[in-house]
Amino acid sequence: MNRQRLKTARKPLVAALVVALVAPGMAFAQTAREQALEARVLELERQVQLLLSTQQQLQGAITQAHSDVQQVRTVQAERATTPAVPAGKQPVQVTSITPGAAPGTTFKFGGFIKADFLATQTGDGQLADDATGRALYLPGQTPVHGAGGSGERSSVDYNAHAKFSRFNLGVDHVTDSGDKAGALVEMDFFGNSLGNQSATNTYGVTLRHAYMYWNNWLAGQTWSNFMDAASIPEAVDFVGPTDGVVFVRQAQVRYTKGGLSVALENPETTLVGAANSDRGSLPDLTVRYGWKGDWGTFGMAGLLRQLKVDNHTTGADASKMAGGLTLGGKWVMGDSDSLHYQLTGGEGISRYIGLGITGDSAYDAIRDELDPTGVVAAYVGWRHAFSPKLRTNLIYARSDYDNDASITGPLVTRSVQSIRGNVFYTPMPKVDVGAELMYGVREIEDGRKGDISRLQFTTKYSF
């Protein structure tokens, strides 16, 4: 009985012990499971947040890509309607600097600042204080006793100026079909004095070039087609070989095809000892053909013109045909040497030579006819480069004129000539410093001569 009761009492005790022993483990197991579940939930939430963030970034990238595609399509559409920029040239800015021009037009600006310092002495009298010949060499102004000179050697006259500084503006345009058009205007300050040397030294802006072109056609003012600007040697003086060079800028209409160019140019008859006459009814006709290569350049040109005088006051009314030929160029003799040359001859073409040394023609009042002035002009210049920064030029120029002294008188120019040597130093790109020594002689029809000597320095910055 007691054993039975004891056995019966043991069962609850054992159960209680089992519960007491297992329950903490079960509770611990339940807590670890919950923690694992919570960790998994937190990880899932983190991954969801990461996916949401990634989705937002992808959506932003898609939106940006769509915007970029739209911009590219817009640029492509603009380029499809905008002519191509000429090869080798780039626009100054995205928006044209010339908003009134055709799309794709390129703009250019250039020129140089030049300062000259001259010391001059003449053998047969002084140059006038305001003479142009004080700023540059003008052979026709060299004083000769009896023809603008006193016969006495002058003292050294010093002059300094910056009036040959210049600037130019230009535009160029090429269409999709390959048509070319453009324009250029260039100014310097070699105009009339607007002040004086005691205070402001002010000079007026003057027109050098103003022309437009369309494919092979050119219209406006620029170098005469009879002139070869590329063959002129480098000089400190404004021109250099002035005595024998063809040098004219004037309005014209020109057609160029390859090496051939034909132009109709502004006519102007200059008379010996008289005012100019612009009564000509025909333009000056010029034809040029040129060649160029590694050896240099060479060109030939012809000029045909009408000389005319029509003065109602004096009753003078006469005309005559005139013309001439010129040839010249530049011969590259080696890496360091080149030869520049020109030979010109004709009748009635004097205004094309040396800035108008004498007139195209004399007027014979007795016969009421024009007597064209014959001329032969030439120059040669040798250039030698000692180094990329140092170079020198030796230049000789001359022109002779055939006058009828019974019409012109004995005081007109028979011949002019000059020789000059210079040296240029380029300390840095676009900067030049030069010095030049020149000696010139002018002879008049009666045989008397006058001379001029000049030492000139210059500085120039090109841009």
Side-chain angles (χ1 to χ4, degrees):
M1 180 73 180
N2 291 336
R3 183 178 290 179
Q4 185 65 30
R5 289 180 178 176
L6 180 59
K7 189 176 181 177
T8 303
R10 285 178 176 174
K11 290 181 179 179
L13 180 60
V14 170
L17 289 172
V18 169
V19 170
L21 293 172
V22 174
M26 293 180 63
F28 178 79
Q30 183 68 24
T31 302
R33 184 178 182 182
E34 290 177 352
Q35 289 177 348
L37 289 174
E38 289 178 358
R40 291 183 63 186
V41 169
L42 291 174
E43 177 64 21
L44 288 173
E45 289 180 349
R46 188 186 69 78
Q47 292 182 4
V48 169
Q49 291 296 329
L50 181 62
L51 288 173
L52 289 174
S53 176
T54 302
Q55 183 181 11
Q56 291 176 352
Q57 292 178 1
L58 289 174
Q59 185 62 39
I62 292 171
T63 302
Q64 182 63 40
H66 179 72
S67 175
D68 292 343
V69 169
Q70 289 299 114
Q71 291 179 5
V72 170
R73 288 177 177 174
T74 301
V75 171
Q76 289 176 339
E78 291 177 350
R79 288 180 177 177
T81 58
T82 302
V85 175
K89 298 183 177 180
Q90 296 297 326
V92 175
Q93 53 193 45
V94 176
T95 302
S96 176
I97 201 169
T98 53
T105 296
T106 59
F107 174 81
K108 55 189 178 185
F109 173 74
F112 57 74
I113 302 300
K114 186 175 189 290
D116 291 295
F117 311 89
L118 310 87
T120 305
Q121 187 174 48
T122 49
D124 265 24
Q126 288 184 321
L127 290 167
D129 291 342
D130 59 350
T132 305
R134 284 180 173 268
L136 74 161
Y137 175 53
L138 286 179
Q141 287 190 3
T142 300
V144 178
H145 183 46
S150 63
E152 297 181 3
R153 179 165 293 277
S154 73
S155 59
V156 175
D157 292 321
Y158 174 78
N159 295 92
H161 63 85
K163 64 180 71 176
F164 292 132
S165 301
R166 69 182 66 159
F167 66 92
N168 57 67
L169 309 170
V171 291
D172 295 288
H173 176 66
V174 180
T175 66
D176 288 336
S177 60
D179 288 323
K180 299 178 180 179
L184 181 137
V185 61
E186 183 175 73
M187 307 284 189
D188 68 11
F189 304 90
F190 189 44
N192 294 330
S193 176
L194 304 178
N196 55 65
Q197 295 186 53
S198 63
T200 59
N201 286 270
T202 307
Y203 294 92
V205 176
T206 57
L207 180 68
R208 287 176 51 84
H209 300 271
Y211 64 84
M212 62 80 64
Y213 70 88
W214 170 63
N215 290 333
N216 301 103
W217 292 93
L218 177 148
Q221 176 168 305
T222 189
W223 299 120
S224 169
N225 190 43
F226 191 57
M227 172 184 170
D228 184 8
S231 69
I232 300 177
E234 185 179 28
V236 172
D237 179 71
F238 177 70
V239 179
T242 314
D243 310 75
V245 70
V246 175
F247 196 94
V248 170
R249 289 190 305 267
Q250 60 192 8
Q252 61 194 269
V253 176
R254 183 190 300 181
Y255 178 80
T256 302
K257 184 70 173 180
L260 177 67
S261 54
V262 182
L264 297 176
E265 307 190 21
N266 182 58
E268 179 74 10
T269 300
T270 61
L271 299 178
V272 176
N276 294 0
S277 171
D278 60 356
R279 303 291 182 179
S281 57
L282 297 175
D284 289 0
L285 171 65
T286 61
V287 181
R288 168 172 289 278
Y289 197 89
W291 298 264
K292 61 182 178 179
D294 295 338
W295 47 268
T297 65
F298 179 77
M300 303 176 62
L303 167 65
L304 181 65
R305 59 192 306 240
Q306 180 194 49
L307 304 178
K308 186 173 179 62
V309 57
D310 182 9
N311 192 317
H312 292 174
T313 302
T314 63
D317 187 2
S319 66
K320 184 164 287 188
M321 298 304 295
L325 297 172
T326 184
L327 59 85
K330 179 179 70 173
W331 176 30
V332 179
M333 298 186 292
D335 295 337
S336 302
D337 297 275
S338 61
L339 193 70
H340 303 248
Y341 60 95
Q342 187 174 79
L343 175 64
T344 306
E347 287 193 343
I349 63 170
S350 295
R351 82 170 178 90
Y352 281 82
I353 308 296
L355 301 175
I357 295 170
T358 188
D360 292 320
S361 176
Y363 174 65
D364 187 344
I366 297 176
R367 297 181 178 87
D368 190 24
E369 65 180 21
L370 293 173
D371 180 49
T373 305
V375 57
V376 176
Y379 70 78
V380 61
W382 169 61
R383 179 185 186 274
H384 175 73
F386 298 100
S387 71
K389 292 186 176 182
L390 185 65
R391 60 197 180 276
T392 186
N393 297 269
L394 182 63
I395 305 167
Y396 175 74
R398 180 185 176 102
S399 58
D400 290 82
Y401 301 90
D402 183 16
N403 304 290
D404 186 343
S406 65
I407 301 174
T408 63
L411 303 182
V412 297
T413 300
R414 174 190 285 178
S415 69
V416 291
Q417 58 183 318
S418 69
I419 185 169
R420 67 186 65 235
N422 60 50
V423 60
F424 283 92
Y425 177 64
T426 303
M428 60 182 292
K430 303 297 184 179
V431 175
D432 294 308
V433 180
E436 182 172 273
L437 182 62
M438 182 274 293
Y439 176 75
V441 177
R442 175 189 172 210
E443 180 183 3
I444 60 176
E445 193 62 37
D446 66 6
R448 284 181 288 181
K449 299 178 181 179
D451 64 83
I452 179 172
S453 302
R454 174 169 288 163
L455 177 62
Q456 183 172 351
F457 297 91
T458 191
T459 61
K460 185 171 75 171
Y461 174 67
S462 303
F463 52 86

